[in-house]
């Protein structure tokens, strides 16, 4: 008789009551402690945590959570639901298709981290623990109990299939066949976790709508955090909460649903993004929104070069600068030496064409290089562009870019009589200048996404992937490597120039200092590359999400001063350690970094 040892951590899995985690108490007791602690934490958010409103968020109100208490409420509710699902409560098993124990640990960490950060912040800012009300002490104890209960849950990983080197090929094949049959039987046994059933099409579309609405809510909350302490708590809750949903299998399940309805998901994502300005009462956060879209669009263009073609470009921000300078010089700026004012569509074509030409001129002599040599050359191009723009000031060179002063006083766009620099009333909502540019940039992002999808699925896209995986093998199969890489370079450069035309009008001024290799605030080449890698190379959603995070987080961490980049670097290290394939990885990269996930099930003999 055999039993199944799987990666599942549901309570029904074999030996769940005999294995222990970091805390030497029975897992069943730990699960109960974590669930009860999460419920008590939710209750404690309705109590006052401090006696004075000097701490931001006003945590002195009974019966109404506010500020950081809302984040703790969300973390405690998630912990409670996952704990109940781990007990097999009917109606909640869908929350944990991949098992509950690992997800419960992350949810408990989210709750504990936010609570204790708040307690410590209150003590430091107000002058000691004496400033805590009974609710503050209660939530500290209950969140600690929740974490201890979660740490008592067992850790189990799938083991690799042992291969006997003395077995012949026939014996090994027969062993694997018997192994597979036993695995199939075990999958239908009572001990195996239930398989996730495929939902009807209308239900899957409803799931996509819910996911997009949740994403808009989280993004709007994060970008609109009113004070620094709330944003730190948001990062803790959102980071560990995402880990909990990922470990539970909900993220993977939602990804499968969206992959089956890609067109609906993409259209729904743009509709959701278009709703963002209507959630804002002024242009304060719409400003961040339009800059995030510019950064994300450029990152998506870089994803063609790096993610699809596998070409490491360290000077990509220069193409953004070429497009911005070209558009600013023909858009009616008084500091432009050309003294022309092209309409928007013509300025867009000029910016994209200028970047395309520079992409071909730089790529033609350099793309015969590979790897680190190509990276060094592109890094040099980025620096050459910035230095050249500084020198074209009429003194060191021709008067074209006005040197370090840049091209200033760039007028607002006027498209078909619609002034993007003025406020407009739409359906009772007042749409300001940055909201207007947000909608324009959203249209340009849609164009870039369309180009990325069509090119990635085309013959040239498959050639890019072949070059990325093994250039020597691709050349042996008849692919013209130089031509394919030059097309990738040119397309990526033109998309960056397209975004640069809008950036020039949004910022009013284009200066060389905006296009550095690295700096505290994006966009720059280092942040663009990080957005592609951290978001997920070769995907559409990855660079968009990665760019959003990499632009938002540094802006919100400015209160740290000199420690801003240190904290940001630590966050990047943790993300690459625990999510090396990116936030939205494709299947190939996910298997490269998590081969243990594909390890076959191990069957171990047990007593009768």
């Amino acid at each position: 008789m055999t039993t199944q040892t799987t990666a599942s951590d549901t309570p029904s899995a074999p030996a769940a009551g005999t294995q222990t985690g970091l805390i030497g108490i029975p897992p069943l007791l730990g699960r109960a402690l974590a669930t009860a602690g999460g419920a008590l934490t939710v209750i404690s958010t309705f109590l006052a945590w401090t006696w004075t409103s000097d701490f931001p968020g006003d945590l002195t109100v009974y019966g109404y959570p506010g500020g950081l208490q809302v984040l703790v409420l969300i973390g405690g509710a998630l912990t409670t639901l996952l704990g109940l699902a781990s007990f097999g409560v009917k109606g909640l098993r869908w929350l944990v298709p991949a098992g509950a124990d690992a997800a419960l640990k992350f949810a408990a960490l989210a709750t504990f981290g936010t609570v204790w950060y708040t307690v410590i912040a209150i003590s430091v800012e107000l002058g000691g623990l004496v400033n805590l009300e009974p609710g503050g002490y209660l939530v500290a104890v209950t969140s600690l109990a929740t974490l201890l209960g979660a740490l008592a849950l067992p850790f189990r990983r799938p083991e690799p299939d042992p291969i006997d080197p003395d077995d012949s090929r026939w014996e090994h094949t027969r062993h694997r066949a018997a192994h597979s049959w036993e695995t199939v039987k075990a999958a239908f046994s009572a001990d195996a976790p239930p398989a996730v059933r495929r939902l009807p099409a209308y239900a899957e579309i409803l799931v996509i709508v819910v996911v997009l609405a949740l994403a808009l809510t989280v993004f709007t909350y994060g970008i609109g955090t009113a004070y620094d302490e709330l944003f730190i708590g948001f990062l803790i809750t959102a980071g560990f909460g995402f880990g909990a949903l990922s470990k539970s299998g909900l993220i993977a399940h939602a990804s499968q649903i969206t992959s089956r309805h890609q067109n609906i998901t993409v259209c729904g994502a743009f509709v959701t993004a278009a709703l963002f300005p209507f959630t804002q009462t002024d242009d304060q956060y719409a400003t961040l929104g339009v800059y995030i879209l510019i950064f994300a669009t450029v990152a998506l263009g870089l994803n063609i070069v790096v993610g699809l073609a596998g070409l490491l470009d360290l000077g990509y921000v220069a193409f953004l600068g070429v497009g911005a300078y070209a558009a600013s010089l023909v858009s009616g700026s008084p500091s432009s030496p050309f003294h022309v004012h092209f309409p928007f569509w013509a300025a867009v074509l000029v910016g994209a064409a200028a970047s395309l030409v520079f992409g071909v001129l730089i790529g033609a002599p350099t793309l015969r290089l590979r790897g680190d040599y190509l990276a060094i050359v592109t890094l040099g191009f980025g620096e050459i562009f910035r230095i050249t723009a500084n020198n074209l000031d009429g003194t060191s060179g021709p008067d074209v870019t006005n040197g370090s002063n840049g091209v200033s006083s760039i007028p607002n766009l006027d498209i078909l009589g619609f002034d993007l620099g003025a406020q407009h009333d739409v359906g009772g909502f007042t749409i300001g200048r940055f909201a207007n540019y947000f909608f324009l940039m959203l249209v340009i992002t849609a164009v870039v996404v369309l180009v990325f999808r069509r090119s990635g699925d085309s013959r040239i896209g498959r050639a890019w992937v072949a070059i990325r995986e093994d250039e020597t093998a691709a050349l042996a199969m008849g692919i013209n490597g130089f031509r394919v890489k030059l097309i990738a370079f040119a397309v990526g450069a033109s998309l960056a120039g397209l975004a640069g035309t809008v950036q020039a009008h949004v910022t009013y001024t284009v200066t060389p200092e905006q296009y550095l290799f690295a700096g505290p605030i994006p966009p720059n080449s280092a942040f663009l590359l990080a957005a592609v890698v951290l978001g997920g190379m070769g995907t559409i959603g990855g660079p968009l999400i990665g760019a959003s995070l990499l632009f938002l987080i540094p802006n919100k961490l400015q209160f740290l001063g000199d420690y801003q980049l240190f904290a940001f670097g630590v966050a990047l290290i943790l993300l690459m350690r625990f999510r090396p394939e990116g936030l939205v990885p494709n299947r190939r990269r996910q298997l490269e970094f998590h081969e243990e996930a594909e390890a076959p099930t191990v069957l171990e003999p047990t007593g009768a």
Side-chain angles (χ1 to χ4, degrees):
M1 180 179 179
T2 60
T3 185
Q4 186 181 20
T5 303
T6 70
S8 171
D9 45 24
T10 57
S12 58
T18 59
Q19 301 184 24
T20 59
L22 295 178
I23 306 300
I25 61 177
L28 185 61
L29 179 59
R31 194 172 289 113
L33 181 60
T35 305
L40 291 176
T41 300
V42 170
I43 295 174
S44 64
T45 60
F46 292 88
L47 304 176
W49 289 6
T50 184
W51 62 275
T52 174
S53 59
D54 290 343
F55 187 82
D58 195 5
L59 308 182
T60 65
V61 181
Y62 283 87
Y64 188 82
L68 288 161
Q69 288 175 325
V70 176
L71 298 175
V72 174
L73 173 63
I74 295 172
L78 179 61
T79 304
T80 305
L81 290 175
L82 292 175
L84 294 174
S86 70
F87 281 104
V89 175
K90 188 175 181 180
L92 294 178
R93 293 295 298 274
W94 62 271
L95 283 173
V96 287
D101 285 358
L104 191 55
K105 292 185 180 75
F106 275 87
L109 279 172
T111 307
F112 174 82
T114 308
V115 167
W116 280 76
Y117 165 75
T118 306
V119 169
I120 293 174
I122 291 174
S123 303
V124 171
E125 293 187 18
L126 300 184
L129 292 173
V130 69
N131 293 283
L132 292 176
E133 286 288 289
Y137 292 106
L138 177 62
V139 74
V141 173
T142 57
S143 62
L144 179 60
T146 302
L147 180 62
L148 293 177
L151 293 179
L153 301 179
F155 291 86
R156 284 192 297 274
R157 296 179 181 271
E159 300 178 4
D161 188 13
I163 299 177
D164 188 354
D166 295 331
D167 282 349
S168 65
R169 176 178 297 183
W170 166 252
E171 289 296 327
H172 179 61
T173 304
R174 187 176 56 146
H175 164 73
R176 294 297 297 270
H179 179 113
S180 300
W181 171 243
E182 292 295 336
T183 303
V184 171
K185 291 195 298 182
F188 290 94
S189 66
D191 289 338
V196 178
R197 293 181 298 177
R198 183 165 178 172
L199 299 173
Y202 71 89
E204 291 188 339
I205 294 175
L206 182 60
V207 169
I208 294 174
V209 172
V210 172
V211 170
L212 293 176
L214 181 62
L216 177 62
T217 302
V218 172
F219 178 76
T220 303
Y221 188 92
I223 202 174
T225 49
Y227 49 93
D228 304 332
E229 292 85 354
L230 184 60
F231 183 73
I232 296 296
F234 168 76
L235 286 182
I236 296 172
T237 303
F240 286 112
F242 178 83
L245 296 179
S246 179
K247 290 295 184 180
S248 70
L250 283 179
I251 299 294
H253 189 40
S255 299
Q256 293 176 0
I257 293 176
T258 55
S259 64
R260 289 195 290 266
H261 305 277
Q262 289 187 0
N263 292 332
I264 294 177
T265 302
V266 172
C267 294
F270 279 102
V271 171
T272 303
L275 295 176
F276 168 71
F278 297 100
T279 64
Q280 308 301 311
T281 56
D282 54 39
D283 259 7
Q284 179 182 2
Y285 299 119
T287 305
L288 287 179
V290 68
Y291 284 124
I292 286 173
L293 273 184
I294 293 173
F295 186 31
T297 303
V298 180
L300 192 58
L302 178 60
N303 197 24
I304 293 179
V305 180
V306 177
L308 293 183
L311 306 174
L312 184 56
D313 189 347
L314 297 182
Y316 188 76
V317 74
F319 297 122
L320 175 68
V322 169
Y325 266 106
S328 64
L329 292 174
V330 298
S331 294
S333 170
S335 59
S336 170
F338 300 113
H339 304 294
V340 294
H341 191 174
F342 286 5
F344 169 68
W345 63 268
V348 167
L349 292 179
V350 169
S355 295
L356 175 66
V357 170
F358 271 85
V360 173
L361 291 178
I362 298 302
T366 61
L367 286 178
R368 300 186 187 279
L369 302 174
R370 297 189 188 182
D372 298 338
Y373 301 100
L374 178 62
I376 293 173
V377 169
T378 55
L379 175 62
F381 164 65
E383 292 301 305
I384 289 173
F385 163 76
R386 182 177 59 83
I387 295 172
T388 302
N390 259 320
N391 290 337
L392 296 179
D393 57 356
T395 301
S396 303
D399 185 11
V400 178
T401 64
N402 202 23
S404 59
N405 294 324
V407 182
S408 59
S409 302
I410 301 172
N412 284 300
L413 289 174
D414 189 295
I415 303 176
L416 300 177
F418 187 89
D419 187 2
L420 273 68
Q423 290 187 346
H424 301 276
D425 293 328
V426 178
F429 293 91
T430 300
I431 304 299
R433 175 180 183 270
F434 285 101
N436 294 330
Y437 280 105
F438 180 89
F439 289 123
L440 174 62
M441 199 62 224
L442 195 61
V443 173
I444 293 179
T445 304
V447 173
V448 175
V449 168
L450 179 62
V451 171
F452 185 91
R453 289 191 65 186
R454 299 298 294 175
S455 60
D457 294 336
S458 66
R459 182 178 180 180
I460 190 69
R462 293 193 295 271
W464 287 339
V465 174
I467 291 290
R468 181 193 68 193
E469 295 300 321
D470 193 327
E471 184 172 353
T472 303
L475 295 177
M477 296 302 294
I479 295 177
N480 188 333
F482 174 75
R483 181 176 67 88
V484 167
K485 291 190 291 185
L486 187 61
I487 292 175
F489 220 68
V491 172
S494 61
L495 295 180
L498 188 64
T501 60
V502 179
Q503 185 206 28
H505 293 84
V506 171
T507 58
Y508 288 125
T509 303
V510 179
T511 60
E513 287 71 22
Q514 294 175 337
Y515 309 105
L516 301 171
F517 168 73
I521 299 295
N524 53 63
S525 294
F527 274 74
L528 287 170
L529 185 61
V532 174
V533 175
L534 296 178
M537 292 196 298
T539 64
I540 294 177
L544 298 179
I545 295 176
S548 300
L549 293 177
L550 290 182
F551 192 93
L552 178 62
I553 293 177
N555 273 277
K556 290 290 187 177
L557 292 181
Q558 291 184 14
F559 68 92
L560 293 178
D562 295 337
Y563 295 97
Q564 173 191 354
L565 287 180
F566 172 77
F568 187 63
V570 170
L572 293 184
I573 291 173
L574 293 177
L575 183 59
M576 292 305 296
R577 168 60 183 85
F578 296 103
R579 193 81 175 180
E581 71 275 20
L583 295 174
V584 186
N586 60 25
R587 183 62 174 166
R588 181 186 298 273
R589 286 184 59 80
Q590 194 169 22
L591 293 178
E592 288 177 357
F593 287 101
H594 297 283
E595 294 180 358
E596 70 275 4
E598 295 297 309
T601 301
V602 179
L603 304 180
E604 298 177 352
T606 60

